[in-house]
């Protein structure tokens, strides 16, 4: 049976027929793994806000605290998602050199990428935009708890409503599947020479050509340079989640 620890809460993947025994299953997991709460991930995440579908089968406390590479992430597992599989990308954000930069995180969530970048990559400012109030409230408290309030400005709202032009040296687009719809808004806020970290899912075969095509179509005459492409994690059979670092010239 697949399970994972998210903070101090155990999450089990739903399987058919488990309902009849879920009380016992919850008790066994709680005892064996010393967990305060056990939840069942019923159907992954859905909707614009990527809200999870969790059923609590043991315990009552659903707020998790995850400590990862010197960053603390606090969040409610029933209200906001947390992708354990993106750990290497969170780590990579911490290792960037963002000295003197203004960074915009267009899909900040609870601070998945904002927090490691703000804490360790030495940016001047990070503007972290999040539309979902539940995620935003955790973003605000995580900024405080990680001691980065002096350089992170959380913004509650839709990133398409940011009207400043040529503001950012770096833009984080951590939102798969619909990401390309947001490229025009990223292009408005990026400075010439700035870098976009573009996340999306692509077929493994041919993903490099597809990523190039997405940017050619979005940029028209404006030039760009793909600096690197990394696989973040497997997403579905033959499909992976990639991040492309793209310099806009
Ligand atoms: C959950 S994160 C994606 C995963 C994340 N990058 C990770 O590493 O786990 C995406 C966030 O973008 C937010 N979001 C979606 N559309 C948005 C928009 N137009 N403006 C601002 N935030 C948005 C969602 O509410 C969600 O919290």
């Amino acid at each position: 049976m697949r399970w994972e620890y998210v903070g101090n809460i155990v999450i089990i993947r739903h399987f058919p027929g488990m309902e009849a025994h879920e009380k016992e299953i919850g008790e066994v997991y709680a005892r064996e793994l010393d967990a305060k709460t056990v939840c069942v991930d019923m159907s992954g995440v859905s909707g614009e806000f990527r809200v999870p579908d969790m059923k609590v089968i043991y315990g009552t406390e659903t707020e998790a605290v995850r400590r990862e590479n010197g960053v603390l992430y606090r969040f409610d597992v029933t209200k906001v998602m947390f992708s354990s599989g993106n750990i290497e990308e969170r780590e990579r954000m911490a290792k960037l050199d963002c000295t003197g930069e203004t960074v915009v995180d267009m899909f900040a969530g609870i601070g998945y990428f904002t927090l490691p970048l703000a804490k360790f990559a030495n940016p001047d400012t990070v503007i972290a935009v999040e539309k979902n109030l539940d995620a935003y409230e955790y973003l605000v408290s995580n900024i405080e708890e990680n001691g980065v309030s002096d350089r992170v400005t959380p913004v509650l709202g839709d990133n398409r409503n940011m009207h400043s032009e040529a503001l950012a040296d770096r833009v984080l687009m951590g939102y798969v599947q619909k990401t390309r719809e947001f490229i025009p808004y990223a292009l408005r806020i990026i400075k010439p020479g700035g870098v976009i970290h573009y996340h999306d899912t692509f077929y493994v075969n041919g993903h490099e050509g597809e990523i190039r095509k997405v940017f050619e179509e979005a940029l028209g005459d404006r030039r760009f340079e793909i600096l690197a492409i990394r696989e973040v994690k497997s997403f579905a059979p033959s499909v992976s989640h990639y991040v492309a670092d793209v310099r806009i010239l």
Side-chain angles (χ1 to χ4, degrees):
M1 195 186 300
R2 287 192 61 178
W3 62 273
E4 65 172 328
Y5 259 126
V6 178
N8 29 10
I9 295 175
V10 169
I11 296 177
I12 311 171
R13 181 82 59 84
H14 178 264
F15 62 90
M18 77 182 294
E19 282 75 8
H21 306 285
E22 66 186 22
K23 187 166 180 291
E24 296 90 319
I25 293 170
E27 283 167 1
V28 170
Y29 270 87
R31 189 176 63 237
E32 295 300 320
L33 299 171
D34 197 20
K36 63 175 181 181
T37 307
V38 180
C39 296
V40 180
D41 178 354
M42 303 298 286
S43 60
V45 296
S46 63
E48 182 187 24
F49 295 161
R50 304 293 191 253
V51 177
D53 179 14
M54 292 285 177
K55 182 172 182 184
V56 181
I57 60 168
Y58 179 90
T60 52
E61 235 181 278
T62 52
E63 191 174 87
V65 178
R66 182 182 175 104
R67 288 171 210 276
E68 182 186 288
N69 296 320
V71 179
L72 179 150
Y73 300 91
R74 186 186 296 277
F75 59 102
D76 188 323
V77 297
T78 64
K79 291 184 177 162
V80 294
M81 61 162 284
F82 191 94
S83 177
S84 308
N86 294 358
I87 183 168
E88 283 180 21
E89 187 60 13
R90 289 191 288 276
E91 209 174 341
R92 189 169 80 97
M93 291 298 103
K95 290 186 177 149
L96 294 172
D97 179 3
C98 301
T99 305
E101 290 187 2
T102 296
V103 179
V104 174
D105 186 349
M106 289 177 69
F107 303 93
I110 62 160
Y112 313 101
F113 298 139
T114 282
L115 295 170
L117 188 149
K119 204 157 177 182
F120 299 113
N122 197 32
D124 193 38
T125 310
V126 182
I127 300 167
V129 187
E130 173 52 49
K131 195 174 175 184
N132 174 9
L133 181 61
D134 287 326
Y136 174 80
E137 285 178 347
Y138 279 110
L139 172 67
V140 170
S141 65
N142 286 333
I143 289 167
E144 180 84 13
E145 283 200 79
N146 283 282
V148 290
S149 309
D150 58 336
R151 68 212 90 132
V152 184
T153 306
V155 176
L156 175 62
D158 193 308
N159 55 39
R160 289 169 287 202
N161 296 333
M162 290 187 75
H163 293 294
S164 312
E165 288 183 24
L167 143 96
D169 300 284
R170 191 179 295 272
V171 173
L172 313 183
M173 299 184 78
Y175 190 61
V176 295
Q177 295 192 291
K178 290 199 175 243
T179 329
R180 68 191 65 183
E181 294 171 18
F182 293 85
I183 295 178
Y185 306 98
L187 291 177
R188 186 162 66 197
I189 55 182
I190 193 96
K191 289 180 187 168
V195 173
I196 296 178
H197 298 286
Y198 178 80
H199 291 246
D200 211 344
T201 54
F202 293 96
Y203 282 109
V204 174
N205 280 340
H207 66 275
E208 290 187 23
E210 284 301 312
I211 293 171
R212 181 166 295 283
K213 207 164 105 197
V214 165
F215 275 86
E216 278 169 357
E217 284 175 7
L219 268 85
D221 292 341
R222 206 163 161 186
R223 288 186 309 123
F224 68 94
E225 184 186 355
I226 297 180
L227 305 175
I229 297 174
R230 288 180 181 74
E231 184 182 29
V232 176
K233 60 179 183 296
S234 170
F235 189 80
S238 309
V239 177
S240 281
H241 168 176
Y242 292 95
V243 56
D245 300 346
V246 182
R247 188 182 298 288
I248 306 300
L249 300 167

